[in-house]
Amino acid sequence: MALDRTLVGRSYPPSAVYEVGRTKIAEFAAAIGDGSPLYRDAEAARAAGHPDVIAPPTFAIAVSLEAAMVVLDDPDVAIDYGRVVHGEQRFTHHRPIRAGDRLVATTTIDAARTVAGNDLLTARVDLATEDGEAVCTATSMLVARGEA
């Protein structure tokens, strides 16, 4: 079944607050094999002009992935998750994510189309502090493979 194009523009309520901790940043950096002291050492981060340790750029997935799941839980989307592959992921940072941030994620469907029998759904997750400061925009495209 082709995706409903009227879904484009649909936004979902903001997520619960995600508090970014130093330990989570260090664990993520270790998991991706990045030894930068900016991710572990507050003094090194301050020397580089940051108020505290910062997160690797891809850390945004730790917050945005769960927030984007609201799209797949929406019965109006009607996408078969068993046929989904991740087609694309982009992050646009407005500033680095840093320890102590209290982030809220708002998810919006940016595109819904069918190409060669495959459904392509693009969702955008805007990460901001609970005070409204834009931090990062995560955009992902999911591909629900058509039946051969």
Side-chain angles (χ1 to χ4, degrees):
M1 181 167 88
L3 284 172
D4 181 354
R5 291 177 193 255
T6 65
L7 294 168
V8 175
R10 180 176 288 190
S11 284
Y12 298 86
S15 69
V17 172
Y18 179 96
E19 189 162 351
V20 180
R22 286 180 181 173
T23 301
K24 288 294 181 191
I25 291 172
E27 290 171 350
F28 189 90
I32 64 169
D34 193 325
S36 172
L38 298 178
Y39 308 145
R40 295 172 179 81
D41 182 344
E43 290 306 316
R46 283 197 257 305
H50 304 288
D52 204 331
V53 297
I54 61 170
T58 54
F59 182 86
I61 197 70
V63 184
S64 63
L65 182 61
E66 185 174 340
M69 293 302 286
V70 70
V71 173
L72 296 176
D73 292 338
D74 183 342
D76 291 339
V77 173
I79 196 166
D80 179 1
Y81 192 66
R83 303 184 72 76
V84 169
V85 294
H86 198 141
E88 181 178 332
Q89 182 70 52
R90 289 190 312 272
F91 299 106
T92 303
H93 289 275
H94 311 294
R95 68 151 171 87
I97 295 173
R98 53 190 178 231
D101 278 343
R102 292 178 50 83
L103 301 177
V104 176
T106 304
T107 303
T108 303
I109 296 175
D110 274 354
R113 60 192 178 112
T114 301
V115 176
N118 300 305
D119 289 329
L120 284 65
L121 181 89
T122 303
R124 182 184 77 245
V125 178
D126 294 304
L127 299 177
T129 64
E130 59 186 344
D131 296 331
E133 178 189 5
V135 176
C136 179
T137 302
T139 306
S140 60
M141 182 185 42
L142 300 178
V143 179
R145 297 164 299 168
E147 296 183 31

